Amino acid sequence: MARVLNWKSLLVTLGLALAARPAAAFSLLGPPPASSSAPDGYQQPVIGYHLGGDIGGPKNLGEEYRWNTPNLFYAFDTSFLDYFGSNGVFAVEQAIAIFNNLTNFSAMSADLSEFPLEVTRNNYTAAALNLMDLKSVTLSFILEELGLADPVRYTWCLRDRRPLPNQSCPFMHYDVIMRNFDPVTFEYSRYVNGTLYSYEIFERCTGDNPLANAIEFLVDPLAPDPTAVAQFGLSYGDYYLGLTRDDVGGLRYMLRTNNANWEGVSSDSVLLATNFNTVQLLGTSNLAQFAAQALTNDAAALTALYPGLIITDTKLIFTNLVTTNVFAYFTNFPWSPAGSPASLVVASNLTTNVVTWYRHSFANVVTNRAFTNGIMRLQTTRVEPCTWGPPGLLCTNVSFQTVATNLLSGDFYIFPTNAPCGVWIVRTQLVNVTAVTNPVVVATNVPGTTNVFGQQFDQATITYFTNYIFVIHPVDCVTNSVALRQGMD
């Protein structure tokens, strides 16, 4: 194996080590080139790119890959839970919390001096047992998935290698580039968290890839190394306290608001776009009434009642329904005094019938508020002889009883037809409270029967429905969209 030492670079970097302030730096990660003719097609395994285990290669400024979305979701599969158990879940949650606790990048200092240059510690017992820290490994993997590469590995990179004129390997000419950037100036940097690196080129002409590679080494052999979490530099027993200035600097570069990139929506994603140019009103409807109608109406009948409703699936259900029928009437008992008013009798019976119900699935129904219990008022109206008047004089008496009971109440809205992916509620324009009266029982007797005095009795339940009127912007679903988009900060 031939080894080439870049003495010129070494002398320059030694001088910089004496004069320059410690600097942070980061490397950007992106997918492998689509072909050798692509702009980054030079990144081939023969000169050290995309080797086993690599998910991508280094990118120049403006070529970065990033997750430009505020929420990412994760889960634990059975194999993870069986092996690591609840302690493993807790370790991963600790790593996630470190990212969630980062503030907006625009609120950080220009030089990121609030973040340390070195966060690695060692547990000697774990080292003796050849154990790795799961939280720390998770931190490195998350940085890789978010778009950061190993900053030391790609401080120096080969762009090309070719034999010198009239020579053959190992007498080669190498084009060397840098893919490590200062997070403040965005200039190429030889530093990673204040540690200075130079490189040697190793060449072996034949064999397995890579045949040639630029291998970084410490200019000061006593300097801390590795430092960045993105380096994947953990040894047995090592663990990270958090993220370094280098790691946060890379994330800030990608996600700062003035870093605008042409970004597309992937084929398995949908972009939700708020139409701020359109302002309209949206009202809510009675959830209890809708639930009752959805139970007893098929899809066609239900969409006729609620224009714009989208039903994605309907299942037919036959069930035996036992109904309690309450009825009331007036009668004269044999023992009633002559000429006395008729007496009220309330009775009930049970009927069993086969009924058809429906179970619907909806695509554009949103529950605004829903409750399974609430307040109901029972209103009783009695038309009966006055206790203080002459015979034959009738009085109307109305009484109320308020009870807390189990009942479905609330309101919902249907996405407007120009808002297939939802709505952006700007403000609440109006709130209306409406009383809904439902008769329970009515008792009268036709003239000429026992109810000679024209008595009457009825009961009704009163529930309340709150209707909201919102001012909204419609939200549209966009696919295959490519646009210049800012970082989310």
Side-chain angles (χ1 to χ4, degrees):
M1 176 184 294
R3 187 174 68 177
V4 180
L5 178 62
N6 189 327
W7 289 104
K8 180 178 180 181
S9 174
L10 178 60
L11 293 175
V12 171
T13 51
L14 282 172
L16 290 173
L18 296 175
R21 62 173 178 84
F26 60 88
S27 292
L28 302 170
L29 187 69
S35 66
S36 58
S37 60
D40 56 354
Y42 67 88
Q43 294 187 6
Q44 299 298 321
V46 67
I47 51 175
Y49 299 96
H50 309 296
L51 304 175
D54 289 349
I55 66 171
K59 298 297 177 182
N60 208 347
L61 298 178
E63 300 174 349
E64 63 272 1
Y65 164 87
R66 66 183 181 185
W67 288 87
N68 198 18
T69 181
N71 296 302
L72 297 176
F73 300 92
Y74 61 96
F76 302 95
D77 64 11
T78 303
S79 61
F80 180 93
L81 295 174
D82 288 344
Y83 189 85
F84 291 104
S86 60
N87 287 339
V89 171
F90 180 69
V92 172
E93 298 287 359
Q94 285 181 304
I96 297 291
I98 290 174
F99 290 93
N100 286 341
N101 289 335
L102 291 175
T103 185
N104 287 14
F105 295 108
S106 58
M108 298 176 181
S109 65
D111 61 359
L112 299 174
S113 56
E114 63 268 37
F115 293 95
L117 299 178
E118 203 272 325
V119 294
T120 306
R121 301 294 183 270
N122 187 270
N123 182 309
Y124 296 107
T125 301
L129 296 173
N130 290 343
L131 296 178
M132 302 289 289
D133 179 53
L134 182 59
K135 181 194 79 172
S136 301
V137 172
T138 302
L139 281 175
S140 296
F141 275 122
I142 292 176
L143 285 176
E144 183 182 39
E145 290 295 331
L146 291 178
L148 290 186
D150 183 337
V152 173
R153 177 181 175 184
Y154 296 121
T155 297
W156 305 97
C157 310
L158 294 185
R159 179 66 171 76
D160 191 18
R161 68 188 268 274
R162 54 193 177 276
L164 294 172
N166 302 318
Q167 299 290 330
S168 61
C169 188
F171 301 101
M172 308 290 285
H173 177 89
Y174 301 96
D175 295 335
V176 181
I177 58 175
M178 301 181 70
R179 287 295 179 263
N180 198 33
F181 308 98
D182 187 291
V184 177
T185 65
F186 303 144
E187 298 287 340
Y188 295 114
S189 175
R190 299 173 173 85
Y191 291 89
V192 175
N193 284 321
T195 297
L196 181 60
Y197 293 89
S198 187
Y199 70 96
E200 295 177 89
I201 297 177
F202 288 81
E203 173 70 62
R204 59 180 181 178
C205 298
T206 60
D208 297 331
N209 290 326
L211 299 183
N213 204 354
I215 304 299
E216 289 76 11
F217 66 86
L218 293 169
V219 173
D220 178 2
L222 300 180
D225 176 65
T227 59
V229 177
Q231 282 181 252
F232 280 91
L234 285 176
S235 299
Y236 291 127
D238 287 348
Y239 62 95
Y240 296 132
L241 300 177
L243 299 177
T244 68
R245 187 168 65 174
D246 169 47
D247 303 308
V248 177
L251 295 175
R252 182 173 69 171
Y253 164 78
M254 291 189 293
L255 298 174
R256 59 200 170 93
T257 55
N258 57 345
N259 182 21
N261 292 340
W262 287 98
E263 295 177 339
V265 179
S266 62
S267 59
D268 59 349
S269 302
V270 174
L271 174 68
L272 306 184
T274 303
N275 182 1
F276 292 104
N277 296 321
T278 300
V279 182
Q280 62 195 62
L281 295 176
L282 175 65
T284 64
S285 302
N286 191 330
L287 181 62
Q289 182 183 39
F290 176 68
Q293 292 172 328
L295 188 64
T296 56
N297 288 274
D298 62 16
L302 196 59
T303 52
L305 293 172
Y306 296 91
L309 180 66
I310 300 176
I311 300 176
T312 58
D313 183 60
T314 297
K315 288 184 172 58
L316 195 64
I317 302 170
F318 297 108
T319 186
N320 296 336
L321 180 64
V322 179
T323 304
T324 302
N325 303 297
V326 180
F327 58 94
Y329 59 92
F330 292 96
T331 188
N332 292 109
F333 296 112
W335 56 84
S336 299
S340 65
S343 299
L344 174 68
V345 177
V346 179
S348 63
N349 60 30
L350 301 177
T351 60
T352 301
N353 298 287
V354 178
V355 297
T356 302
W357 283 351
Y358 301 91
R359 179 181 297 164
H360 302 288
S361 298
F362 307 104
N364 60 344
V365 173
V366 175
T367 301
N368 185 41
R369 300 192 313 162
F371 307 96
T372 57
N373 53 62
I375 299 298
M376 180 180 68
R377 299 188 76 190
L378 181 64
Q379 175 184 290
T380 303
T381 303
R382 307 177 71 106
V383 180
E384 54 192 357
C386 300
T387 56
W388 45 266
L393 180 64
L394 298 177
C395 291
T396 301
N397 299 308
V398 181
S399 62
F400 295 92
Q401 180 184 5
T402 302
V403 295
T405 185
N406 295 328
L407 54 85
L408 176 65
S409 63
D411 61 308
F412 74 99
Y413 59 84
I414 297 173
F415 288 161
T417 54
N418 65 335
C421 273
V423 298
W424 179 288
I425 297 178
V426 179
R427 66 177 182 274
T428 302
Q429 184 69 25
L430 184 65
V431 178
N432 290 313
V433 179
T434 304
V436 180
T437 302
N438 296 295
V440 177
V441 61
V442 176
T444 59
N445 285 70
V446 296
T449 61
T450 55
N451 185 14
V452 294
F453 294 101
Q455 294 166 252
Q456 183 177 333
F457 171 87
D458 68 74
Q459 281 187 329
T461 60
I462 302 175
T463 55
Y464 299 91
F465 155 63
T466 304
N467 165 244
Y468 292 83
I469 305 296
F470 298 115
V471 177
I472 66 157
H473 295 302
V475 176
D476 197 9
C477 303
V478 181
T479 58
N480 301 322
S481 169
V482 178
L484 195 62
R485 297 186 171 96
Q486 293 178 290
M488 65 176 184
D489 197 32

